[in-house]
């Protein structure tokens, strides 16, 4: 299995977290589920980290059967709709997003 993770490195003001989290959970995840060939998507919010760890506010994990399936999803028109929803909801986020692609070995 191939996992493409988007890590939101930064923070959201405490008084804006509920709205931000709801938008990501209810709107963005629903759009991501429309990607062709996607197996699943998981959204996780960081509760605690070790001292010195990067400040990861939230993480999306998109699961695919193969790199070819991931590439097809990222090349699809659905990606533009996903990006539009992410941009629409990112106003309260202060930080940056990085992407990592990994392979499940177990």
């Amino acid at each position: 299995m191939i996992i493409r993770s988007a890590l939101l490195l930064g923070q959201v003001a405490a008084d804006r977290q509920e709205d931000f989290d709801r938008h990501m959970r209810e709107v963005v995840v629903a759009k991501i589920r429309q990607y062709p060939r996607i197996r699943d998507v998981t959204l996780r919010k960081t509760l605690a980290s070790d001292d010195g760890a990067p400040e990861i506010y939230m993480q999306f994990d998109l699961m695919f059967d193969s790199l070819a399936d991931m590439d097809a999803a990222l090349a699809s028109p659905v990606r533009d709709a996903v990006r539009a929803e992410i941009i629409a909801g990112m106003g309260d986020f202060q930080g940056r997003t990085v992407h990592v692609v990994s392979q499940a070995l177990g």
Side-chain angles (χ1 to χ4, degrees):
M1 180 182 317
I2 300 300
I3 304 157
R4 178 178 165 87
S5 300
L7 292 88
L8 280 63
L9 305 173
Q11 57 190 334
V12 175
D15 65 330
R16 300 299 305 149
Q17 287 182 10
E18 187 176 327
D19 289 339
F20 181 86
D21 296 356
R22 183 181 313 105
H23 181 81
M24 294 299 148
R25 184 179 61 248
E26 295 177 5
V27 178
V28 174
V29 169
K31 288 285 188 193
I32 290 171
R33 289 189 190 285
Q34 296 175 12
Y35 274 147
R37 303 185 191 180
I38 193 164
R39 178 183 276 198
D40 199 6
V41 60
T42 302
L43 178 62
R44 297 184 278 160
K45 184 175 177 181
T46 302
L47 296 179
S49 299
D50 291 344
D51 289 341
E55 187 176 15
I56 300 171
Y57 180 78
M58 185 175 276
Q59 178 172 333
F60 290 86
D61 293 315
L62 287 67
M63 282 136 294
F64 300 92
D65 287 328
S66 67
L67 284 171
D69 287 347
M70 181 190 77
D71 291 341
L74 297 178
S76 75
V78 174
R79 187 174 193 199
D80 292 334
V82 170
R83 282 183 171 169
E85 290 298 345
I86 291 171
I87 290 167
M90 290 295 278
D92 292 320
F93 177 71
Q94 300 297 313
R96 66 188 182 108
T97 303
V98 297
H99 295 89
V100 176
V101 177
S102 56
Q103 181 178 26
L105 298 177

